[in-house]
Amino acid sequence: MSDLQVSIPHLLAQLELLPVPAGTATIGLDAALAAKFTNSYGENWREFYFRETPQHPVAVSAFRLARYPVTNGLYAQFMAAGGYEHADWWTPEGWAWRLETARIAPRMWANPRFGGDDRPVIGVSWFEAIAFTRWASEVSGHAIRLPTEAEWEWAARGEHVRWLYPWGGVWDAAKLNSGAAPEGGESRGTTAPIGSYSPAGDGPFGHADLLGQVWEWSSTAFRPYPYLATDGREDRYTPERRVLKGGCWGDSKYANRVTTRYHYTPLYSDVTTGFRLAADGDGRPWTPRPALDLVIYGRSSFCADLADGKQWLNAWNVPYRQINIDLDEQAGFRLDDWIGNRTIPTYVLAERGSSVPIMPPKQADLSHLRDVNRGTMLHEADEPTLRAWLIQNGLLLE
């Protein structure tokens, strides 16, 4: 029996996935309340609060959410299983980042201030959180993932639209681990053992530590409300900032609210970033990672062809890595060398972790590149051409 099989019951017990019923979640902050907070804290806070507006309904399917954030003890099992060595558990962009940074553990992993197997892991990037979910899925046989921001907020307050906190509408520093000292006490100044504030601080479905402790990565790319799962914000591979929920041990009540939307780049990590796991619901199964990487040369500003191409790849569940030539000068120079101009989107077939074609591209009339298949490169493709090229190269089944 393999080590993976032996650890299945133990892992599932530690995940403690609690059911969250289906329902219509009302997510976001009422605009009048956002204006009130802005008036209290100052005009510089306008964007911070109004990114949570408008308040709007979102249908959420039944799913399961872990009672607690992932702990140091649980994360150590991922590391011991070779979590930083198995490329199959990482997104293409995440694996390239891991190779470039030589990352082998979360930031501050050895810092005793945040140590203890029963305390939330900190210093985790979105890339690492995703790799963990894929490992956990393989070990447990369940489709483990990160929650969407709509699922997280529904789990945090259910049908209680006016609640800003999992326990109700009134701030109480004694019900969470935050930067605000409870009456007669003092702030911990670090993480606490999971469940330290249960059951008083629990959410409506029994989840603990939803506020305070660590900012929790969601699966969702940060985009303006209203939330729409089909508009690309749940694309697992787009290189956009991701939403974090839940506040943290260092922040006070301005941030420790169920509606707060922090957003960081997927590679970001600090002493406040952690994550919580979800399963079932509307989560899509992971596609096994191909032997070669699909790399898209695009740009961070609007490009209709790029937006269309990513929409098709998302629909087909094809992993990809996007490199933006307006943010990466060397990537732009590579396109100059290969093409003679910066035609985007250009699709490249590369070795894992690389961003250059596996072999020199075939010659072509560079003045007419649209839909041109150059073997290891494809330029400005329409849907049928892109699909045929992916099938030809083993990245998509017929």
Side-chain angles (χ1 to χ4, degrees):
M1 184 176 288
S2 72
D3 291 340
L4 289 179
Q5 290 173 316
V6 168
S7 61
I8 287 174
H10 185 51
L11 177 62
L12 287 176
Q14 290 180 81
L15 295 183
E16 202 168 347
L17 294 162
L18 302 182
V20 180
T24 299
T26 299
I27 69 171
L29 187 64
D30 179 77
L33 198 51
K36 178 182 178 181
F37 288 158
T38 301
N39 291 335
S40 297
Y41 285 94
E43 192 61 27
N44 288 341
W45 289 82
R46 175 170 293 276
E47 192 279 331
F48 180 82
Y49 288 113
F50 275 89
R51 73 172 70 143
E52 302 169 35
T53 65
Q55 196 173 66
H56 59 285
V58 177
V60 177
S61 300
F63 71 105
R64 291 183 293 162
L65 185 69
R67 183 187 295 271
Y68 307 111
V70 170
T71 61
N72 290 321
L74 187 51
Y75 199 89
Q77 294 181 49
F78 166 67
M79 294 170 61
Y84 286 84
E85 301 165 15
H86 289 273
D88 287 348
W89 293 336
W90 295 72
T91 65
E93 185 181 6
W95 184 246
W97 168 81
R98 200 214 67 74
L99 293 177
E100 181 181 352
T101 59
R103 187 85 157 230
I104 59 171
R107 290 186 64 191
M108 290 79 65
W109 177 250
N111 189 330
R113 178 183 169 193
F114 300 98
D117 284 352
D118 61 349
R119 294 166 69 184
V121 65
I122 55 104
V124 178
S125 69
W126 189 84
F127 291 141
E128 290 164 300
I130 288 294
F132 184 100
T133 67
R134 299 193 70 171
W135 164 77
S137 296
E138 183 174 320
V139 171
S140 69
H142 293 249
I144 307 299
R145 58 184 176 84
L146 295 179
T148 69
E149 71 166 318
E151 288 176 330
W152 190 99
E153 195 163 324
W154 169 243
R157 66 175 173 183
E159 297 179 344
H160 307 287
V161 177
R162 295 184 179 276
W163 285 13
L164 292 179
Y165 317 106
W167 57 84
V170 179
W171 169 261
D172 187 343
K175 292 181 178 178
L176 78 166
N177 179 25
S178 75
E183 185 176 352
E186 60 183 31
S187 174
R188 290 176 181 264
T190 184
T191 53
I194 57 172
S196 293
Y197 296 86
S198 290
D202 290 357
F205 306 117
H207 300 89
D209 298 325
L210 288 161
L211 296 189
Q213 296 282 53
V214 289
W215 284 106
E216 300 178 13
W217 288 108
S218 75
S219 62
T220 309
F222 178 78
R223 295 186 181 181
Y225 275 169
Y227 175 92
L228 184 64
T230 57
D231 68 358
R233 69 183 71 204
E234 294 302 337
D235 182 343
R236 293 162 168 163
Y237 304 105
T238 186
E240 299 174 56
R241 289 170 171 262
R242 300 286 168 167
V243 174
L244 298 99
K245 303 290 287 183
C248 75
W249 59 265
D251 286 325
S252 189
K253 64 179 181 179
Y254 78 92
N256 277 293
R257 296 173 291 107
V258 297
T259 60
T260 306
R261 307 177 75 205
Y262 261 33
H263 54 87
Y264 291 138
T265 59
L267 55 79
Y268 182 85
S269 59
D270 67 18
V271 293
T272 69
T273 54
F275 64 110
R276 185 187 303 255
L277 302 175
D280 307 327
D282 294 326
R284 302 169 69 188
W286 284 98
T287 299
R289 191 170 166 195
L292 297 171
D293 277 353
L294 172 62
V295 182
I296 308 175
Y297 282 75
R299 62 170 177 255
S300 58
S301 55
F302 175 72
C303 169
D305 288 336
L306 177 62
D308 286 343
K310 289 170 63 175
Q311 184 177 23
W312 301 328
L313 292 172
N314 188 34
W316 301 330
N317 214 7
V318 174
Y320 69 86
R321 177 186 176 196
Q322 181 181 334
I323 296 178
N324 295 324
I325 61 173
D326 56 333
L327 302 179
D328 186 334
E329 186 179 51
Q330 294 304 313
F333 291 157
R334 287 196 291 271
L335 281 188
D336 290 343
D337 291 340
W338 296 332
I339 305 173
N341 61 36
R342 299 189 175 186
T343 298
I344 59 169
T346 286
Y347 302 88
V348 169
L349 198 63
E351 298 286 353
R352 285 185 172 181
S354 176
S355 57
V356 301
I358 55 175
M359 61 183 67
K362 297 175 182 178
Q363 294 299 311
D365 179 359
L366 300 184
S367 65
H368 298 87
L369 284 175
R370 183 172 290 276
D371 292 326
V372 172
N373 180 348
R374 301 174 67 199
T376 56
M377 295 176 67
L378 179 65
H379 306 284
E380 298 181 304
D382 60 16
E383 186 174 7
T385 305
L386 177 58
R387 183 179 180 86
W389 185 77
L390 294 171
I391 292 172
Q392 169 193 324
N393 289 294
L395 276 73
L396 182 64
L397 298 177
E398 295 190 66

